[in-house]
Amino acid sequence: DVKVTQSSRYLVKRTGEKVFLECVQDMDHENMFWYRQDPGLGLRLIYFSYDVKMKEKGDIPEGYSVSREKKERFSLILESASTNQTSMYLCASSADRGGQPQHFGDGTRLSIL
Amino acid sequence: GENVEQHPSTLSVQEGDSAVIKCTYSDSASNYFPWYKQELGKGPQLIIDIRSNVGEKKDQRIAVTLNKTAKHFSLHITETQPEDSAVYFCAARTGANSKLTFGKGITLSVRP
């Protein structure tokens, strides 16, 4: 089975802090994704990566950056955390072949105080 | 870009009844449509998917139908059970890189 592991289930940080969310997948997938999930808004794509050191902006990239130095690991970075970034963050991965499903981690619930 | 809409936002059914969840999409070039189930405290899990060259797909109690002309696809759950209670997301794939556009989700409640 595909396993996508997010390093923290819950995280509490303060405004202005630099925050790192880590995601690791064990299936040698080329594609990795970061979403945020908010009530009534569904899943919104922040950034995705289709190869090591490659990244593309999703629908809501403002205030975020990402890093993909190794194929299995994809990091989401909040450069200067703000209260409106309090949310559930979900990481996903998929194989590069067309029409392959995304596999999700269990999420990190991030609170910015 | 692609727009995926999912209605209604909540659905309540009696145990044993069928549930149907419908999604519409806007981009006629979309060619892959997965459905995800999210239980409390967990990430979304793929339950079934369909490609644009197929009209229907079934897996035990769940099925998905696709109408490309009308640009909508539906999830059908028969003989619902309390453990089917969850949030269900539909999605559509546009372009390369397996990028998906998700609907806002529907909360299904199955009353025992």
Side-chain angles (χ1 to χ4, degrees), chain A residues 9 31 33 35 37 40-43 45 48 50 56 59 90 94-95 97-102 104-106, chain B residues 31-32 34 36 38 41-46 49 51 87 89 93 96-105:
Chain A
R9 292 300 306 273
N31 302 319
F33 308 82
Y35 295 87
Q37 181 177 17
L41 298 179
L43 278 68
L45 182 64
F48 65 103
Y50 52 88
E56 287 199 22
D59 300 317
L90 290 162
S94 72
R97 299 177 299 281
Q100 294 303 306
Q102 293 181 17
F104 284 83
D106 283 335
Chain B
N31 56 16
Y32 173 67
Y36 287 84
Q38 186 177 28
K42 295 192 174 182
Q45 298 292 312
L46 178 76
D49 56 8
R51 287 167 173 73
V87 178
F89 291 97
R93 174 182 177 262
N97 300 320
S98 296
K99 183 181 170 185
L100 295 174
T101 301
F102 284 84
K104 288 181 169 46

Side-chain angles (χ1 to χ4, degrees), chain A residues 42-101:
Chain A
L43 278 68
R44 294 181 292 166
L45 182 64
I46 304 171
Y47 266 97
F48 65 103
S49 168
Y50 52 88
D51 201 352
V52 175
K53 296 193 185 296
M54 305 300 288
K55 61 183 179 183
E56 287 199 22
K57 293 180 179 179
D59 300 317
I60 51 164
E62 296 78 19
Y64 303 95
S65 62
V66 290
S67 172
R68 186 138 182 231
E69 296 297 318
K70 294 185 177 181
K71 191 174 185 180
E72 67 271 19
R73 185 180 297 270
F74 192 33
S75 303
L76 179 70
I77 303 157
L78 286 66
E79 297 288 344
S80 177
S82 63
T83 54
N84 63 9
Q85 293 178 308
T86 291
S87 186
M88 170 69 84
Y89 290 87
L90 290 162
C91 174
S93 72
S94 72
D96 197 29
R97 299 177 299 281
Q100 294 303 306

Side-chain angles (χ1 to χ4, degrees), chain B residues 35-50:
Chain B
W35 283 92
Y36 287 84
K37 175 185 180 183
Q38 186 177 28
E39 296 175 332
L40 204 60
K42 295 192 174 182
Q45 298 292 312
L46 178 76
I47 55 172
I48 197 167
D49 56 8
I50 192 168

Side-chain angles (χ1 to χ4, degrees), chain B residues 39-104:
Chain B
E39 296 175 332
L40 204 60
K42 295 192 174 182
Q45 298 292 312
L46 178 76
I47 55 172
I48 197 167
D49 56 8
I50 192 168
R51 287 167 173 73
S52 57
N53 59 349
V54 175
E56 182 174 359
K57 183 177 177 181
K58 191 174 181 180
D59 183 2
Q60 299 182 337
R61 292 190 299 109
I62 60 173
V64 56
T65 58
L66 172 64
N67 183 327
K68 288 189 294 181
T69 303
K71 290 190 281 188
H72 68 71
F73 56 112
S74 299
L75 178 70
H76 305 254
I77 307 173
T78 59
E79 301 173 16
T80 54
Q81 301 165 4
E83 51 266 37
D84 294 328
S85 297
V87 178
Y88 290 82
F89 291 97
C90 61
R93 174 182 177 262
T94 52
N97 300 320
S98 296
K99 183 181 170 185
L100 295 174
T101 301
F102 284 84
K104 288 181 169 46

